[in-house]
Amino acid sequence: MDLNHVLVWLSGLTVISWLVALLRDHGRRATSWIITTGAILGLWLAGVFAWPDLAGYVTAGAWVLFLLAPMLGLRAMQALVLRGRYGAALWVARLVAALHPSAGHRAQPQVLSILALQQRGELDRADAAIEALRQRAPGLVALARLTGLRARARWEELVAQVDARPDRDAFLLDEASAGLYLRALGELGRVPELLAGYVQLVHPRNPAGRANHQIYIAALTGQVELVRTLLAGPLAVYGPELGAFWEGTALQAAGDHAAAEALLRPLVTARDFLIRSGAQRRLEQPRPSVDLEALPAEARAVLTMIDAAVTRSVAAAAQARAAAVTPKMTYALLAVMGAVFLAELPGGSEDAGNLYELGALVGPVAQLDGEWWRLVTAGFLHFGWLHLALNGLGIALFGRSLERALGPWRFAAVFLISSVGALAIMLAWSELVTGEPFMLVGASASLMGIVGATVAVTLRRVLRGNMEADRRLLVSLAVVLVVQTAFDLTTPRVSVGAHLGGALLGLVLGLVLAPSSSYDLARAAKATGSDP
């Protein structure tokens, strides 16, 4: 086994799975990503046939550089934008645009540059940058102009510009445009229209981003406790100044002007111009109190729906925290494997004699010479750092979730019984069928046992609830087992029998040991006093 051979399999499988997922879930919305992924897949195919000794390194490097790094960069950029750190987001956007130069990503640095200028209060420079954007990315000019109107609090003009567009409905399908438009309606006191627009434009389309719109709806309608719940929960990433701005706004709309001023007054010296100028306007022109009872029934129903949605979201997050079982057994077993590997190093981790002295399994039985303890010790030894790294990575990946489902001791039973049982099967096979001598080391059988047990646990969930996510996971696990078998058959010095034996034992153990409710959910139920 060598690193290039492993990378050929890993990179090929990863690129193919990414391409399938992009085509299935995104289609034309991810054209540039599909093209890039397809190009890397073509590189992989060419490398397998033209330069097989380098194909793994080349493909893995291309995947990291042109797919993984840009996607991680986009996540980081979105997190920075959410915190209002447009300057830092700008640098990340430039890196993403360099690695993945699609039209949309090339335009992102320009938009973030405009936002950064507006945040600093350099509105004239921002306007000039918007005009320059007309030449480079005309499709983003309208959105950029709306941000300029927001910076100046020209809400009536913002609404009028959107309503005057012939493609108004299509324009508002963009979440950023919809957010600016809806906030403008709220700032103008057009609450029924704001709530109707939220139901139409936001609520059905992006559950993950709802909180960013719910915060100004709650604040502009005077729902102080809902604002505090959002800031303590899904919007905890907001900085203290932005949080104080929205809480102060909610207090004003609720009629508590003294408490509102106590929060808003310190913000007039904030570094962020948008917060500074917004707080100043709130102090100079306090928002009138909102009488929720005077709203139409449809509007009140939307507010009730938002409150219930936030309550469910916060409760789910609390349950997830209660269920956050630290997989200590997984980490402990990985630590034992690491310690055993350190013990191998003085005599050589790839030296057969050294591995034998430390507890490798040998067969047939006559070779074992009564040292049955080797069935246990062999599962913690590894032939070289790559063998250890692959097994350790797999156990870390699959073991944590399985331990959360089974609990630490049942998980440990799967780990040990799969290993000992699979090694015993190989010993019996050598004794009764082949008669050939062998030496085995490694936690691969334990890893495959963990995968097999995960299949069993997931299958039980599918049979109980038939959830789409569980069915997809089941398919993914089946692919893992098939690919692992194919990898074993093409890789020298790998025991296909031990891997298959571990997987089958893990499957049986998972069916037998899996509790009726996942260990982590049971802990959560106990912590919250609810039914699992």
Side-chain angles (χ1 to χ4, degrees):
M1 183 190 302
D2 65 273
L3 182 57
N4 177 69
H5 179 74
V6 172
L7 289 176
V8 165
W9 279 91
L10 288 179
S11 60
L13 179 62
T14 301
V15 171
I16 291 171
S17 62
W18 277 41
L19 184 58
V20 170
L22 287 168
L23 291 169
R24 180 189 62 205
D25 298 333
H26 300 284
R28 294 182 179 179
R29 293 175 297 167
T31 301
S32 65
W33 291 100
I34 291 171
I35 292 173
T36 303
T37 308
I40 295 175
L41 179 59
L43 181 67
W44 178 78
L45 290 170
V48 168
F49 293 102
W51 55 88
D53 293 339
L54 295 174
Y57 298 112
V58 173
T59 309
W63 172 73
V64 169
L65 191 60
F66 298 114
L67 285 178
L68 182 62
M71 284 196 173
L72 292 177
L74 285 175
R75 290 186 182 181
M77 184 188 71
Q78 292 166 356
L80 290 168
V81 168
L82 193 61
R83 292 173 172 86
R85 298 178 58 187
Y86 299 123
L90 173 60
W91 288 103
V92 178
R94 286 170 175 165
L95 177 61
V96 171
L99 296 176
H100 194 90
S102 66
H105 294 152
R106 289 199 305 272
Q108 283 173 339
Q110 300 166 56
V111 175
L112 287 169
S113 177
I114 291 169
L115 292 173
L117 289 170
Q118 292 171 347
Q119 189 178 46
R120 295 197 298 269
E122 301 177 32
L123 301 186
D124 292 337
R125 288 185 62 192
D127 291 342
I130 291 172
E131 291 305 310
L133 194 62
R134 294 176 59 185
Q135 306 298 324
R136 302 174 185 174
L140 292 173
V141 172
L143 174 60
R145 285 176 173 167
L146 294 187
T147 65
L149 295 174
R150 177 198 61 178
R152 294 177 171 85
R154 289 157 58 175
W155 305 114
E156 290 185 1
E157 187 175 345
L158 191 157
V159 171
Q161 281 197 14
V162 174
D163 286 339
R165 292 182 64 92
D167 62 341
R168 174 185 178 279
D169 292 342
F171 180 72
L172 289 177
L173 290 177
D174 176 73
E175 187 176 354
S177 302
L180 291 168
Y181 178 72
L182 293 177
R183 180 180 170 186
L185 290 174
E187 295 283 355
L188 293 172
R190 295 162 61 174
V191 175
E193 293 175 69
L194 162 64
L195 296 172
Y198 169 81
V199 171
Q200 178 186 1
L201 299 172
V202 174
H203 192 79
R205 288 172 27 210
N206 183 14
R210 288 175 188 166
N212 298 309
H213 305 280
Q214 292 165 343
I215 184 72
Y216 57 75
I217 291 174
L220 295 171
T221 55
Q223 298 183 83
V224 179
E225 289 306 316
L226 184 56
V227 168
R228 290 170 177 164
T229 300
L230 286 165
L231 292 173
L235 297 181
V237 294
Y238 278 13
E241 291 183 340
L242 184 56
F245 174 78
W246 284 121
E247 186 176 349
T249 299
L251 288 165
Q252 271 193 350
D256 192 346
H257 294 279
E261 182 171 358
L263 286 175
L264 295 172
R265 181 65 63 186
L267 300 181
V268 297
T269 58
R271 292 182 59 186
D272 188 326
F273 169 79
L274 299 176
I275 295 176
R276 184 170 71 244
S277 60
Q280 188 66 49
R281 281 191 294 271
R282 294 278 193 260
L283 293 169
E284 293 173 356
Q285 301 175 346
R287 294 195 59 77
S289 301
V290 177
D291 184 1
L292 298 181
E293 295 301 322
L295 294 174
E298 296 84 355
R300 294 199 306 273
V302 175
L303 290 175
T304 300
M305 178 190 70
I306 291 174
D307 186 76
V310 172
T311 301
R312 286 195 303 270
S313 174
V314 171
Q319 187 179 51
R321 287 193 296 273
V325 177
T326 302
K328 296 180 181 178
M329 186 62 71
T330 302
Y331 297 145
L333 292 169
L334 289 172
V336 172
M337 287 165 48
V340 171
F341 187 76
L342 292 177
E344 295 177 31
L345 294 179
S349 63
E350 297 182 10
D351 182 83
N354 183 50
L355 292 173
Y356 176 80
E357 291 296 327
L358 291 173
L361 178 67
V362 292
V365 174
Q367 300 289 329
L368 194 61
D369 197 24
E371 296 176 337
W372 297 99
W373 49 267
R374 293 180 180 273
L375 288 168
V376 177
T377 56
F380 291 92
L381 294 165
H382 287 86
F383 188 83
W385 69 268
L386 182 58
H387 191 199
L388 173 70
L390 292 174
N391 284 336
L393 180 62
I395 291 169
L397 180 64
F398 291 102
R400 291 177 298 174
S401 60
L402 183 63
E403 182 176 345
R404 292 184 178 115
L406 298 183
W409 298 111
R410 296 185 187 197
F411 170 76
V414 170
F415 183 98
L416 293 171
I417 295 174
S418 296
S419 176
V420 173
L423 293 176
I425 290 172
M426 294 308 299
L427 185 62
W429 183 263
S430 173
E431 179 70 21
L432 301 175
V433 180
T434 66
E436 296 178 357
F438 70 89
M439 175 183 286
L440 285 178
V441 294
S444 303
S446 295
L447 170 57
M448 296 307 294
I450 291 171
V451 174
T454 304
V455 169
V457 171
T458 308
L459 180 60
R460 290 183 60 158
R461 287 203 301 262
V462 168
L463 294 175
R464 286 200 304 265
N466 197 31
M467 295 179 62
E468 178 64 23
D470 286 331
R471 290 197 290 112
R472 286 192 178 186
L473 176 58
L474 201 58
V475 172
S476 300
L477 291 169
V479 171
V480 167
L481 291 172
V482 171
V483 171
Q484 179 65 53
T485 303
F487 175 80
D488 294 344
L489 292 171
T490 60
T491 306
R493 293 187 296 186
V494 170
S495 175
V496 180
H499 291 181
L500 291 177
L504 290 173
L505 286 168
L507 180 65
V508 173
L509 289 167
L511 292 172
V512 172
L513 296 177
S516 58
S517 178
S518 290
Y519 178 76
D520 55 357
L521 294 180
R523 275 176 54 100
K526 184 177 180 180
T528 57
S530 59
D531 293 330

